[in-house]
Amino acid sequence: MSSTSSATALPRHIDPRKFAQQGVSVHGYIDLSLMDRIVPLLASNEGQIVAELVFGASDEHQQQCLQGKLNAKVDMVCQRCLEPCPQQLEAEIKLAMLWNDDQVSQLPKTWDPWIVAEGQVDIYQVLEDELILSLPIVAYHDYLCIAPERYQSGDRQTTQQAADKLSPFHVLEQLKGSVKTSPETKD
């Protein structure tokens, strides 16, 4: 079993099937700025992703696989104050390498399928997918980042009156009221 140094950048292109046959372990980092799809979801592209990857064969079916962990500290936009909000991302990877979609049905439920052909693969895309899945739906600071009075949108009664004036049904309600109060006309 071989491994790389922990202070190195993770190579972008690897041969995962070859790594699995050789039982390679990889520990390294990726600059967040190299992840084109996740950066627009964040407040900045600064930071690093630390990856610990183990290529090998699964115990259950001797299926070639990739297991590992990803850790990254990123800044997302706080949905309360719209300022950067630090988030710790952690992703567990458990991918079984398959040749085609037909093999997915035979895969145990504890493994995620990864359709991989022979040859080089851009591992950054695979790891980026895992990080995107680990993003929180919304990000908030752990503390009260805006004044409590900003949570209210105004006087409830005034707001309802303004909504009634804008409502097209408000005009119909006025017409209905005027029909009831008008004197009956004779033909």
Side-chain angles (χ1 to χ4, degrees):
M1 194 187 260
S2 62
S3 67
T4 63
S5 169
S6 63
T8 62
L10 205 63
R12 185 170 197 120
H13 297 321
I14 63 165
D15 187 338
R17 292 197 177 274
K18 190 177 208 178
F19 277 23
Q21 289 171 351
Q22 297 173 355
V24 174
S25 295
V26 180
H27 182 86
Y29 68 89
I30 304 168
D31 284 328
L32 193 59
S33 61
L34 299 174
M35 301 291 192
D36 297 336
R37 292 177 294 135
I38 198 170
V39 167
L41 306 174
L42 304 175
S44 77
N45 66 352
E46 296 177 13
Q48 291 182 336
I49 302 158
V50 177
E52 297 176 26
L53 308 175
V54 178
F55 295 84
S58 67
D59 293 334
E60 301 101 32
H61 297 335
Q62 293 302 308
Q63 182 75 43
Q64 289 181 331
C65 65
L66 166 60
Q67 295 185 68
K69 295 179 183 179
L70 298 176
N71 289 299
K73 186 172 183 179
V74 299
D75 286 330
M76 295 183 71
V77 176
C78 174
Q79 297 302 302
R80 288 186 188 123
C81 67
L82 303 179
E83 295 294 324
C85 174
Q87 297 288 313
Q88 184 67 39
L89 302 181
E90 296 178 3
E92 292 281 332
I93 301 170
K94 197 168 179 182
L95 301 173
M97 295 180 218
L98 306 175
W99 290 104
N100 55 46
D101 290 332
D102 298 335
Q103 295 176 303
V104 173
S105 62
Q106 301 166 7
L107 192 64
K109 301 276 187 229
T110 57
W111 290 90
D112 290 326
W114 182 21
I115 310 298
V116 181
E118 195 73 40
Q120 298 280 318
V121 170
D122 185 349
I123 194 68
Y124 285 18
Q125 288 184 355
V126 175
L127 302 180
E128 187 173 22
D129 288 342
E130 296 296 326
L131 275 179
I132 289 171
L133 291 172
S134 71
L135 287 172
I137 295 172
V138 291
Y140 298 108
H141 284 105
D142 292 338
Y143 55 89
L144 188 59
C145 54
I146 61 172
E149 59 270 7
R150 292 187 62 196
Y151 282 118
Q152 298 178 358
S153 62
D155 180 29
R156 194 172 187 85
Q157 187 175 14
T158 304
T159 305
Q160 183 61 44
Q161 289 170 349
D164 286 345
K165 287 181 183 177
L166 296 176
S167 171
F169 299 106
H170 182 71
V171 174
L172 292 175
E173 186 176 309
Q174 289 177 336
L175 288 174
K176 182 180 173 185
S178 68
V179 169
K180 287 182 181 177
T181 57
S182 67
E184 290 185 28
T185 58
K186 294 183 181 180
D187 290 329

